[in-house]
Amino acid sequence: MVNFLKMQNDTLNDRLNIQIALEGVILDSIKAGQLNNALKTYKKIVNVYILNDIGNGCRLRCIKNHIISLSALINRMIIDIGINSNLLKIKNYKFLNKIESSNSIKDVIAMGEKMIEEYCNVILDNYSCTENILIRKAISYIHNNFSENIKLDDVCNHVHISKTYFCSLFKKYTGMCFSKYLNNIRIEKSKELLKKNEMSILDISIAVGFNNQSYFSKLFKDNTGITPKEFRKNYFNKYIYK
């Protein structure tokens, strides 16, 4: 009899450990904005919830209690990363009402899926807002310092994120890598200076951040199809000497 009870307790402990582990995966997936993985894990945990009865033998009540508990865990995680708690209170209240008013296990489970989807969107919206701020800050820094010998490390340090994350983020929002974006700014600025005929091409290349005139001329031609000298000549022939 003692051994049988021990086996029951061991089985219950195993199920509880599985439940805790799966809930952890759901929280991590939502935090990372990985909706598909969160929903996939949620489908696994529903079966565990049914086995871990916290509804006094009523399966519907059991599922409701587990999903309400999961909602509380998700809310706490989202608040901990600094997202507006008032918004979460409204969403949480809405979900609790819908869960409690549901009359079937199928509806409660579906409401849990909807809950995870909406919370995941809250995370993604927050990350999107944060990403926009970081990229705007980085772009402003580049525009203000393009004439200096700025490096990728300088920009990453300015916005306080890793190079890997910055490069991924920058490409996502600008469609190009950091070096190409920086060179494009320098080339556009050099065009303005070439139109004034006040500086030599060497001085212009230095003024816009290039230490090597040959490299500047090569990039300029790659970008425009003509050399800086040809660009200046064409501009003056078209607009000044006509």
Side-chain angles (χ1 to χ4, degrees):
M1 181 67 176
V2 174
N3 288 336
F4 176 72
L5 291 174
K6 184 178 184 301
M7 287 176 61
Q8 281 190 316
N9 288 333
D10 288 345
T11 302
L12 177 60
N13 288 335
D14 288 342
R15 290 203 304 265
L16 288 173
N17 287 334
I18 292 171
Q19 176 181 323
I20 292 169
L22 290 175
E23 285 173 342
V25 173
I26 290 174
L27 293 178
D28 288 342
S29 298
I30 293 174
K31 188 175 182 179
Q34 298 171 345
L35 176 60
N36 289 338
N37 194 49
L39 291 176
K40 181 180 177 181
T41 308
Y42 173 73
K43 289 177 181 178
K44 292 180 181 178
I45 206 172
V46 165
N47 293 323
V48 179
Y49 282 161
I50 292 173
L51 293 173
N52 293 344
D53 179 22
I54 54 172
N56 293 325
C58 175
R59 186 168 289 185
L60 176 60
R61 183 69 259 169
C62 172
I63 293 295
K64 285 184 178 182
N65 289 346
H66 275 300
I67 293 178
I68 289 170
S69 176
L70 178 62
S71 175
L73 290 174
I74 296 171
N75 267 269
R76 173 47 53 194
M77 179 270 293
I78 295 177
I79 289 172
D80 285 345
I81 63 176
I83 294 179
N84 190 322
S85 59
N86 291 326
L87 171 65
L88 292 175
K89 286 178 182 177
I90 295 171
K91 284 187 176 294
N92 191 45
Y93 182 75
K94 179 186 75 173
F95 283 125
L96 290 181
N97 280 340
K98 288 186 176 181
I99 289 170
E100 288 295 358
S101 62
S102 297
N103 295 316
S104 72
I105 291 176
K106 182 179 179 181
D107 288 344
V108 175
I109 292 172
M111 188 52 57
E113 290 182 353
K114 182 66 176 175
M115 175 186 75
I116 288 173
E117 183 177 345
E118 287 208 21
Y119 282 136
C120 205
N121 287 335
V122 168
I123 291 285
L124 289 173
D125 288 344
N126 179 70
Y127 285 166
S128 179
C129 179
T130 303
E131 288 174 357
N132 279 326
I133 292 171
L134 288 173
I135 293 302
R136 286 200 301 270
K137 188 176 180 181
I139 287 174
S140 176
Y141 179 83
I142 294 169
H143 278 268
N144 290 333
N145 296 277
F146 71 87
S147 60
E148 305 296 329
N149 186 30
I150 60 171
K151 306 293 184 185
L152 177 59
D153 283 337
D154 299 322
V155 184
C156 293
N157 290 336
H158 182 70
V159 295
H160 307 295
I161 57 177
S162 70
K163 284 197 288 188
T164 302
Y165 181 43
F166 173 79
C167 289
S168 172
L169 215 55
F170 197 80
K171 182 73 177 289
K172 173 183 173 182
Y173 281 90
T174 67
M176 63 186 77
C177 65
F178 161 73
S179 59
K180 184 175 182 180
Y181 186 89
L182 174 61
N183 285 334
N184 283 353
I185 292 174
R186 287 171 167 170
I187 295 300
E188 289 305 311
K189 182 61 179 178
S190 71
K191 290 178 183 178
E192 296 176 18
L193 297 176
L194 285 166
K195 292 175 183 178
K196 295 179 180 179
N197 203 26
E198 297 172 353
M199 300 169 65
S200 68
I201 292 175
L202 173 59
D203 289 340
I204 289 173
S205 67
I206 294 172
V208 297
F210 293 107
N211 294 324
N212 185 300
Q213 182 181 340
S214 297
Y215 181 59
F216 162 63
S217 296
K218 179 183 182 303
L219 282 179
F220 192 96
K221 187 171 184 178
D222 289 343
N223 187 281
T224 65
I226 56 177
T227 65
K229 184 177 180 180
E230 290 169 334
F231 178 89
R232 170 173 274 174
K233 181 180 178 181
N234 290 347
Y235 175 80
F236 276 85
N237 285 340
K238 185 174 182 179
Y239 296 103
I240 307 300
Y241 302 136
K242 66 177 181 178

